[in-house]
């Protein structure tokens, strides 16, 4: 990448304010007043706390946590000048394959962006792909996002809990049978998972070693678990 490089694209000059190394740029006090800020610790964002500047962005980060192709992401990753206006895209996303993505979330009525073609060209020259996602697309998946939010909150709360042996027990149980449910992996006579069992199960889900359909219903005793051998 090129430090402080200016690019003229589609009659707009785009200039990075700082080096194009993704790192979160927190909101200033004026933006904090004008914007609905959401703070959350995300496993895939290596920061003490992540700052999301809208509810749609907050939900989208939760969906990225549940996307097994995503390795990490950074909210508000760059500061640019687009013409004479300062611009901060919403997210930088890295996947297991393909170019890094720079994503902007907006209401469908505000898309495409006036500067979209210029931004696409600018980031393409920097080896990244710029794209937009409508808020409405995200809101359609709100139940799924909330289910993953619960999972990552538990994982961050019990970040230091040792679960490797319990994870292996769960995997062996899945390998031994078909249509194994969450209820099947709970210890006998235990209607509510112990912290070790619950965290072990959620870590395997978050890592993509096992999968469950969380699009509509949250994780419960009847949720069917599948072992993803290719990701193990």
């Amino acid at each position: 990448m090129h430090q402080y490089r200016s690019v003229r694209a589609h009659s707009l000059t785009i200039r990075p304010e700082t080096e194009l190394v993704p790192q979160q740029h927190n909101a200033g006090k004026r933006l904090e007043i004008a914007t609905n800020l959401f703070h959350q610790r995300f496993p895939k964002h290596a920061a003490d706390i992540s700052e999301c500047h809208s509810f749609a962005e907050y939900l989208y980060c939760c969906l990225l946590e549940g996307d097994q192709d995503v390795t990490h992401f950074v909210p508000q990753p760059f500061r640019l000048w687009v013409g004479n206006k300062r611009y901060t895209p919403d997210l930088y996303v890295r996947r297991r394959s393909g170019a890094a993505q720079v994503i902007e979330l907006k209401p469908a009525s505000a898309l495409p962006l006036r500067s979209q073609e210029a931004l696409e060209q600018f980031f393409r020259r920097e080896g990244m792909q710029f794209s937009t996602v409508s808020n409405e697309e995200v809101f359609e998946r709100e139940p799924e996002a909330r289910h993953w939010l619960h999972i990552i909150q538990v994982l961050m709360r019990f970040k230091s809990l040792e679960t490797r042996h319990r994870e292996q027990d769960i995997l062996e149980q899945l390998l031994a049978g078909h249509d194994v449910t969450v209820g099947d992996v709970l210890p006998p006579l235990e209607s509510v998972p112990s912290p070790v069992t619950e965290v072990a199960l959620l870590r395997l889900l978050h890592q993509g070693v096992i999968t469950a359909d969380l699009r509509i219903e949250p994780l419960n005793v009847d949720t069917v678990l599948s072992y993803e051998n290719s990701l193990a």
Side-chain angles (χ1 to χ4, degrees):
M1 296 185 184
H2 305 280
Q3 188 174 7
Y4 307 106
R5 176 182 177 181
S6 296
V7 172
R8 187 168 180 81
H10 295 272
S11 301
L12 284 174
T13 298
I14 300 179
R15 175 175 59 85
E17 186 173 279
T18 59
E19 186 177 1
L20 281 177
V21 175
Q23 57 182 343
Q24 181 171 264
H25 294 83
N26 293 330
K29 290 186 177 180
R30 291 179 62 184
L31 187 59
E32 286 180 2
I33 296 172
T35 307
N36 290 324
L37 293 184
F38 296 84
H39 296 93
Q40 176 63 47
R41 288 181 173 85
F42 290 107
K44 291 183 181 179
H45 178 211
D48 290 336
I49 195 75
S50 302
E51 185 178 277
C52 300
H53 291 181
S54 70
F55 185 51
E57 185 181 324
Y58 182 55
L59 293 177
Y60 193 71
C61 286
C62 296
L63 293 171
L64 292 176
E65 287 289 343
D67 187 339
Q68 304 311 320
D69 191 44
V70 173
T71 59
H72 63 277
F73 61 85
V74 181
Q76 289 78 55
F78 310 118
R79 279 183 175 163
L80 312 172
W81 285 97
V82 179
N84 61 357
K85 295 182 179 180
R86 177 182 274 173
Y87 170 65
T88 303
D90 288 322
L91 287 157
Y92 170 90
V93 179
R94 286 310 309 256
R95 297 181 175 274
R96 296 182 189 277
S97 59
Q101 295 177 303
V102 179
I103 296 175
E104 179 69 25
L105 291 133
K106 289 288 186 186
S109 60
L111 297 175
L113 302 174
R114 288 186 179 181
S115 57
Q116 183 153 337
E117 290 188 20
L119 287 165
E120 288 173 355
Q121 183 176 332
F122 171 80
F123 281 111
R124 190 182 305 118
R125 291 181 181 180
E126 297 295 337
M128 292 176 267
Q129 179 185 14
F130 179 84
S131 60
T132 57
V133 176
S134 73
N135 292 351
E136 290 80 356
E137 290 179 67
V138 178
F139 294 147
E140 286 179 0
R141 299 177 64 189
E142 182 176 346
E144 181 183 3
R146 288 187 178 276
H147 301 156
W148 278 106
L149 174 60
H150 170 72
I151 288 172
I152 62 179
Q153 286 175 336
V154 173
L155 291 178
M156 296 308 293
R157 179 183 177 188
F158 293 100
K159 188 175 181 179
S160 61
L161 186 65
E162 174 56 56
T163 61
R164 284 177 296 179
H165 293 302
R166 190 69 186 99
E167 289 172 35
Q168 188 59 42
D169 291 341
I170 293 172
L171 290 179
E172 290 176 0
Q173 191 168 353
L174 286 169
L175 286 170
H178 299 285
D179 296 329
V180 176
T181 66
V182 170
D184 293 327
V185 304
L186 301 182
L189 304 179
E190 184 172 307
S191 59
V192 179
S194 69
V196 172
T197 300
E198 181 180 13
V199 175
L201 179 62
L202 298 185
R203 280 178 178 162
L204 291 172
L205 278 170
H206 187 254
Q207 294 163 7
V209 179
I210 63 176
T211 60
D213 188 352
L214 301 177
R215 290 173 296 177
I216 299 174
E217 296 292 331
L219 204 66
N220 59 70
V221 293
D222 296 320
T223 303
V224 176
L225 304 171
S226 300
Y227 175 48
E228 295 295 313
N229 187 50
S230 62
L231 294 176

